[in-house]
Amino acid sequence: MEHGSTAPPTLHDVAREAGVSVATASRALNGSARNVRSENARRVRAAAAKLNYEPHLSAQAIAKGSTRTVALVVRDVADPYFSSIAAGVAQAAEAAGLIVTMAVADGSSERELEIVRTLRGQRPQVIIVAGSRVEGAGTRGALIEELEAYRTAGGRVVMISQRDLPFGTVAVDNHGGARDLARALLEAGYRRFAVLHAPGSLRTSRERHDGFRAGLRSWPGAGPAGVAEPVAVETAFTRAGGYDAARRLVERGIEDVEAVFAVNDVMAIGAMTAFRDAGVIPGADIAVAGFDDIPSALDVVPALTSVAVPLREAGLSAMRLALTDEADAPDVRLAARVVLRESTPPRQAGRR
């Protein structure tokens, strides 16, 4: 800070002066220095004395860990995707002596913002926000402001989603996984596809839809004489959405569709039920694939082809990122892997 400035020094100023992260500075000053290297603690105290910094009471409360909690905010409690992430968060939190609390935004960006505002008053040590970012929701700026204020007070913020907000992020390679799935289905003999997807504002759906189309376009036989653009059916990012989209696809006619890609597994499972209800047998009359490889992908009949995402590892990685002392720790990007099962058997020549 400049000498003579009338603005009181902040925790950010102390951290910058000491060359450490805000979280490290907070722990060093507020009675939770057991995980701070002695050299860093000494530099933080020296910086605070130089700047005449006085810790804010809310920062003290967070750093001292009065609640000893990690707050996990998810978009949908019914989707097994989030329960797998929560299991990883809980495992890492337990190892750190923390307790996980979970709040559900129910797919609403406005509700997500309201939850984060409430959580700030409860003073958890970590806030993890999991779920696809939604473009055009109108809450992005306010959410950043709330999370920045919480972080300035000594808390840690990690996102499990796309790299959209200025916080540490654990991201899944949605585009690459869907591209690889398209290529795997092409190699299995499929040439005519439909994609069941959510609105384009939901970035997870858009990345997977775009990746799948990129995989089709990169195939040597793509074009008028080979692989056509897939039929696209927009629906909700849920099991019910998958059911409705498959029902509409059957009503439209599926003579020109050999395989259906639903952009998540719960949608694919809903689609399989709709096909069966319409007398169309998944894995025999039509192939079906999903994305995420949730546990129930193995329980349906036929077993569902999917793109495996290390969801538990996503939760573990988010906690590791939250607890690191590095100010600019790199984001974590998790690879996705295609798993072919009975719902997409190799397509024989002459088969519809």
Side-chain angles (χ1 to χ4, degrees):
M1 292 186 63
E2 288 185 20
H3 180 69
S5 172
T6 58
T10 68
L11 188 61
H12 275 289
D13 297 326
V14 175
R16 189 181 306 111
E17 178 74 22
V20 300
S21 70
V22 172
T24 296
S26 179
R27 285 196 290 270
L29 292 172
N30 295 290
S32 181
R34 61 185 175 85
N35 293 323
V36 179
R37 292 195 299 273
S38 58
E39 171 63 18
N40 284 347
R42 184 192 63 76
R43 287 161 54 192
V44 168
R45 288 193 293 269
K50 176 181 177 181
L51 299 175
N52 295 318
Y53 171 75
E54 294 184 4
H56 191 280
L57 290 177
S58 63
Q60 290 181 340
I62 291 175
K64 288 179 179 177
S66 57
T67 60
R68 301 295 296 166
T69 58
V70 174
L72 174 62
V73 184
V74 301
R75 294 192 67 82
D76 183 2
V77 73
D79 190 337
Y81 177 96
F82 292 107
S83 61
S84 297
I85 288 175
V89 170
Q91 179 182 334
E94 182 179 0
L98 302 172
I99 296 172
V100 177
T101 63
M102 189 163 71
V104 182
D106 199 24
S108 167
S109 298
E110 290 75 16
R111 176 63 178 158
E112 181 183 71
L113 175 60
E114 180 184 345
I115 289 169
V116 168
R117 282 176 173 156
T118 301
L119 288 173
R120 281 186 58 200
Q122 297 175 359
R123 302 191 304 273
Q125 289 196 22
V126 176
I127 294 178
I128 298 174
V129 182
S132 176
R133 305 320 302 158
V134 179
E135 295 183 349
T139 58
R140 183 178 182 275
L143 182 63
I144 291 174
E145 183 178 340
E146 291 291 333
L147 290 173
E148 284 281 17
Y150 164 77
R151 185 167 64 178
T152 299
R156 300 304 302 269
V157 179
V158 176
M159 315 298 293
I160 304 178
S161 63
Q162 292 77 27
R163 187 59 161 97
D164 176 59
L165 304 184
F167 306 100
T169 301
V170 177
V172 172
D173 187 7
N174 291 310
H175 187 280
R179 179 198 61 220
D180 292 347
L181 174 64
R183 292 173 179 170
L185 295 177
L186 288 163
E187 289 171 358
Y190 295 95
R191 294 292 182 272
R192 296 177 293 176
F193 299 92
V195 178
L196 313 185
H197 65 94
S201 58
L202 194 72
R203 286 189 56 180
T204 295
S205 174
R206 191 176 75 237
E207 288 175 357
R208 295 176 181 182
H209 190 184
D210 289 348
F212 192 81
R213 288 187 296 182
L216 299 183
R217 290 168 182 162
S218 67
W219 189 253
V227 182
E229 277 287 302
V231 175
V233 185
E234 184 175 306
T235 189
F237 200 58
T238 61
R239 184 184 186 281
Y243 185 99
D244 178 67
R247 178 187 57 77
R248 285 186 279 135
L249 190 62
V250 170
E251 290 175 353
R252 163 198 175 275
I254 57 171
E255 293 77 14
D256 59 341
V257 176
E258 299 166 347
V260 171
F261 167 49
V263 295
N264 71 23
D265 283 348
V266 293
M267 293 172 69
I269 291 169
M272 291 171 72
T273 300
F275 287 137
R276 279 192 295 268
D277 287 351
V280 178
I281 303 173
D285 299 327
I286 195 166
V288 181
F291 199 116
D292 292 331
D293 201 30
I294 60 176
S296 49
L298 286 169
D299 297 333
V300 294
V301 179
L304 179 64
T305 285
S306 189
V307 181
V309 176
L311 297 173
R312 180 182 286 266
E313 179 58 32
L316 289 166
S317 296
M319 278 302 302
R320 285 194 291 264
L321 195 57
L323 298 176
T324 183
D325 282 339
E326 297 180 33
D328 297 311
D331 290 346
V332 177
R333 188 168 183 82
L334 300 174
R337 176 178 55 88
V338 175
V339 182
L340 296 175
R341 299 193 179 101
E342 290 81 1
S343 68
T344 59
R347 189 171 184 277
Q348 299 172 357
R351 180 177 162 219
R352 192 206 74 75

